[in-house]
Amino acid sequence: MRLFRNFFTKEKLNPAKSNKLLIQRDKEGKAHVAMHSTIFSDVNENILASNSMFADLLNDITPCIEPYSVKEKIVVDVFETKESDEFARDTVIIGFRRYVNACLDGLKKQHLSRFFLFFSFLVLGILIEFILYGIVQKYAGVEFLTHWLFKSVEVLGTLFIWQFGGYLAFEYLGERKQLNRYRQITNIEFNFKHWD
């Protein structure tokens, strides 16, 4: 029972109750996760793997490695009810890595296009602010533009600048993490075990 009188006692917590993840590592320092999949035996029987099968495998692997850092080297222990042969395993692993690399390339293109879009908002906002405060107000005076029009254009320029700031603060890091997660998934090693 915990003593509530002394706030400075060091309490030994159960690792399951604390937020520490118990990681199984091998001799090389790679983290092991376990999952069950039938894609390897299905390919062994049908000699065909589709993108939907690779998407299902990706959906099965992603929650297994989600608690781990994206820098962690992962080995997936795949438990099979029906054993597959080496050819089917190699076929699925090569196809899966190609599928994830295609997803990674698409995500990179989307990430770059969004970054340049929001960066153009930043440049446009700075340009509007420069024109308003550097040129119009200095040379033409406030009489050139009515006060409400001047403030409306000023708000538009500020909005463009904040749009880029909001993207960096709320979306950029999530997209980078997803890119790093896909890179981690492409480097996963598979270890096959028979489910008894």
Side-chain angles (χ1 to χ4, degrees), residues 85-136:
D85 63 353
E86 202 65 33
F87 177 73
R89 291 174 183 174
D90 290 341
T91 302
V92 170
I93 290 171
I94 290 170
F96 177 69
R97 287 197 172 130
R98 285 185 180 174
Y99 175 78
V100 174
N101 280 328
C103 292
L104 181 63
D105 289 341
L107 194 60
K108 279 182 191 175
K109 288 177 184 175
Q110 178 186 356
H111 177 67
L112 286 175
S113 67
R114 287 172 50 91
F115 180 79
F116 287 125
L117 173 72
F118 286 108
F119 186 74
S120 66
F121 285 167
L122 173 70
V123 170
L124 185 63
I126 291 173
L127 183 68
I128 289 173
E129 296 279 335
F130 175 74
I131 290 172
L132 285 178
Y133 289 109
I135 297 173
V136 172

Side-chain angles (χ1 to χ4, degrees), residues 10-65:
K10 190 169 185 179
E11 182 181 343
K12 292 184 179 181
L13 292 175
N14 184 0
K17 291 183 180 177
S18 68
N19 288 332
K20 295 182 180 176
L21 183 64
L22 296 174
I23 300 175
Q24 283 185 329
R25 295 189 186 275
D26 58 6
K27 293 177 185 176
E28 298 172 359
K30 297 178 182 176
H32 281 256
V33 295
M35 64 171 276
H36 173 265
S37 180
T38 59
I39 186 172
F40 301 97
S41 58
D42 291 345
V43 168
N44 197 18
E45 294 171 3
N46 300 333
I47 312 173
L48 179 68
S50 64
N51 281 344
S52 65
M53 294 170 81
F54 295 136
D56 290 340
L57 183 61
L58 180 63
N59 289 337
D60 289 342
I61 288 176
T62 303
C64 295
I65 65 170

Side-chain angles (χ1 to χ4, degrees), residues 53-81:
M53 294 170 81
F54 295 136
D56 290 340
L57 183 61
L58 180 63
N59 289 337
D60 289 342
I61 288 176
T62 303
C64 295
I65 65 170
E66 196 67 35
Y68 298 97
S69 168
V70 293
K71 296 177 182 177
E72 193 82 42
K73 295 191 185 298
I74 303 284
V75 175
V76 176
D77 295 327
V78 179
F79 289 93
E80 299 178 310
T81 51

Side-chain angles (χ1 to χ4, degrees), residues 184-195:
Q184 180 187 31
I185 290 173
T186 57
N187 295 323
I188 282 179
E189 293 180 25
F190 290 92
N191 186 15
F192 296 92
K193 296 181 178 179
H194 184 65
W195 184 277

